[in-house]
Amino acid sequence: MNDWLDKLDREYRHLKAGQIYRVARAFRDYDGECHEEGKTFEFVGANFVPYHDGLSLFVKREGREEQIRLQLHPEEQQAIVEQLEVYLRPVS
């Protein structure tokens, strides 16, 4: 894995590194990408940038590392982040 990934928070809210999660409710991220219901990924870590209220979730999906960018502003993805457990549920 990349060295910069070692600096990520291994937990964010209910997300824990190494756990598999399923998108339970579709959502659009900061970049406009739709994360469709039913898709799964492994959570790798998170990074929060207070200056921009930016939250990055780093995941591994189908063997590729990906970044899901969210912004904690009411007109952006704040509602999604505040209810993250509704959107992303652990696969048991």
Side-chain angles (χ1 to χ4, degrees):
M1 213 168 274
N2 299 328
D3 289 338
W4 62 271
L5 289 175
D6 293 335
K7 297 178 177 133
L8 298 176
D9 294 327
R10 307 291 288 163
E11 293 186 13
Y12 182 80
R13 299 178 57 120
H14 74 293
L15 303 175
K16 294 181 180 18
Q19 174 70 43
I20 306 296
Y21 294 87
R22 174 174 282 112
V23 177
R25 182 184 294 177
F27 66 94
R28 285 201 182 277
D29 65 22
Y30 181 76
D31 298 309
E33 184 176 336
C34 183
H35 299 273
E36 299 176 8
E37 189 174 326
K39 297 288 184 176
T40 60
F41 61 81
E42 176 185 345
F43 180 68
V44 175
N47 183 42
F48 181 71
V49 181
Y51 181 75
H52 295 288
D53 290 328
L55 172 65
S56 291
L57 303 178
F58 293 89
V59 303
K60 190 180 286 188
R61 188 182 341 233
E62 298 175 2
R64 293 186 333 253
E65 293 171 358
E66 297 180 21
Q67 179 180 13
I68 300 172
R69 296 188 329 146
L70 305 166
Q71 189 175 39
L72 281 80
H73 282 202
E75 64 276 5
E76 295 293 341
Q77 296 79 36
Q78 182 174 340
I80 294 166
V81 174
E82 288 176 349
Q83 298 179 40
L84 204 53
E85 65 282 350
V86 171
Y87 289 87
L88 304 176
R89 296 214 175 125
V91 175
S92 36

